Amino acid sequence: MSERRPIIAANWKMHKTHLEAIQAVQKLSYLLDRKDTERVEVVICPPFTALRSVQTLIDSDRLPYGLGAQNVHVEDEGAFTGEVSGPMLAALDVGYVIVGHSERRQLFGEDDATVNRKVKAVVRHGLVPIVCVGETLEEREAGGTQSKVAEQVRMAFDGVDAAAVSSAVVAYEPIWAIGTGRHAEPTDAGQVIEVIRGTLSERVGKDVGAAVRVQYGGSVKAGNIREFMVHPEIDGALVGGASLDPEELALIVKFR
Ligand code: PGA
């Protein structure tokens, strides 16, 4: 279990121009040293418009960060105005794609079937999906957290082979905790994460369930990251708001 390398992914959502993104990554690179990024994998997920610039900077300065996109289209090419495909991301050296973020599900009508098609589009091109799952406050209060999350996980990985599942990342993000300043209790999150692993183990075997990295997401900041990082089930975090400030992001990665 301790084999799993924690992964901190910065989800910048619809923030930062490409110039601001470059500045932020440069600043981050002054604040982090090799020891930090050996211990924790750092992935930057800027908007599409900044992917190329951030990739060039990572490349030219040999920065030890992964690059992630926040979305992808299910098809590889075609008449889909405004969309971006897996092959386009792969050609930019993008390594990760956030799939099924609750904002995509709630604001852009992505259902579990779409999330599944997106996961397949991502793995088809050798990229790693960061699959987001999580319950609403109503679902939590009705005691439906575990069944909701298990179903989202089952659907997202339906028909995806064991090798692709084992290198995937899942982000457990309770919707009521996203951008609210109210985070889940690490013990609670850990229990849901056990359900996530159990669900994947049933489908593709215990080894795979134990190998998948599962992050927590929802109001993570420098002041609370440590509680999550020390929990044995939690393999890092998907960080929104707090990741926009490179100083805060560096403190999160260092989690002292
Ligand atoms: P937050 O967002 O850290 O701002 O709560 C997390 C996310 O949406 O991934």
Side-chain angles (χ1 to χ4, degrees):
M1 287 245 184
S2 52
E3 304 282 302
R4 297 188 306 257
R5 185 170 174 224
I7 171 169
I8 303 248
N11 174 14
W12 285 351
K13 309 190 180 189
M14 199 173 74
H15 295 287
K16 298 192 192 292
T17 64
H18 73 292
L19 298 171
E20 291 162 344
I22 291 171
Q23 269 176 5
V25 175
Q26 264 165 346
K27 196 156 180 200
L28 184 70
S29 73
Y30 299 133
L31 297 166
L32 292 180
D33 57 41
R34 291 275 156 177
K35 261 196 245 126
D36 299 318
T37 46
E38 271 161 26
R39 195 162 69 134
V40 172
E41 183 175 358
V42 176
V43 176
I44 308 293
C45 307
F48 283 135
T49 47
L51 283 172
R52 174 64 167 152
S53 313
V54 173
Q55 183 265 330
T56 305
L57 176 63
I58 287 176
D59 217 36
S60 64
D61 289 7
R62 296 178 196 280
L63 301 177
Y65 313 144
L67 183 62
Q70 300 172 17
N71 188 22
V72 68
H73 192 258
V74 297
E75 299 288 347
D76 290 353
E77 62 176 0
F80 303 105
T81 301
E83 293 295 311
V84 171
S85 74
M88 295 169 184
L89 297 175
L92 274 181
D93 280 345
V94 165
Y96 293 89
V97 183
I98 298 173
V99 179
H101 189 279
S102 65
E103 286 150 19
R104 301 290 325 162
R105 294 180 192 256
Q106 293 191 319
L107 306 173
F108 301 95
E110 284 186 15
D111 58 10
D112 286 328
T114 307
V115 170
N116 177 245
R117 291 182 72 197
K118 291 192 174 192
V119 169
K120 287 174 173 162
V122 168
V123 303
R124 188 158 71 233
H125 299 288
L127 309 177
V128 175
I130 300 177
V131 179
C132 303
V133 296
E135 82 286 0
T136 62
L137 191 56
E138 296 72 57
E139 287 163 340
R140 164 158 286 248
E141 284 170 350
T145 299
Q146 302 199 348
S147 58
K148 166 74 181 293
V149 169
E151 182 61 9
Q152 285 182 320
V153 168
R154 254 192 299 275
M155 293 282 286
F157 290 101
D158 186 45
V160 177
D161 68 38
V165 177
S166 80
S167 53
V169 177
V170 177
Y172 168 53
E173 299 206 304
I175 295 169
W176 48 270
I178 296 177
T180 58
R182 185 182 159 201
H183 64 84
E185 287 308 317
T187 333
D188 260 18
Q191 276 167 6
V192 180
I193 290 175
E194 278 179 40
V195 171
I196 292 172
R197 282 190 210 291
T199 306
L200 290 171
S201 298
E202 272 168 36
R203 244 266 352 262
V204 280
K206 234 178 157 22
D207 291 358
V208 175
V212 170
R213 290 185 291 175
V214 187
Q215 303 171 302
Y216 166 76
S219 296
V220 168
K221 52 185 187 192
N224 60 33
I225 182 67
R226 194 162 194 287
E227 301 172 52
F228 294 101
M229 295 301 271
V230 296
H231 192 292
E233 284 291 332
I234 304 176
D235 307 316
L238 181 57
V239 189
S243 75
L244 292 169
D245 172 5
E247 282 180 22
E248 177 91 6
L249 179 57
L251 288 172
I252 290 171
V253 173
K254 291 173 184 284
F255 72 96
R256 306 255 190 258

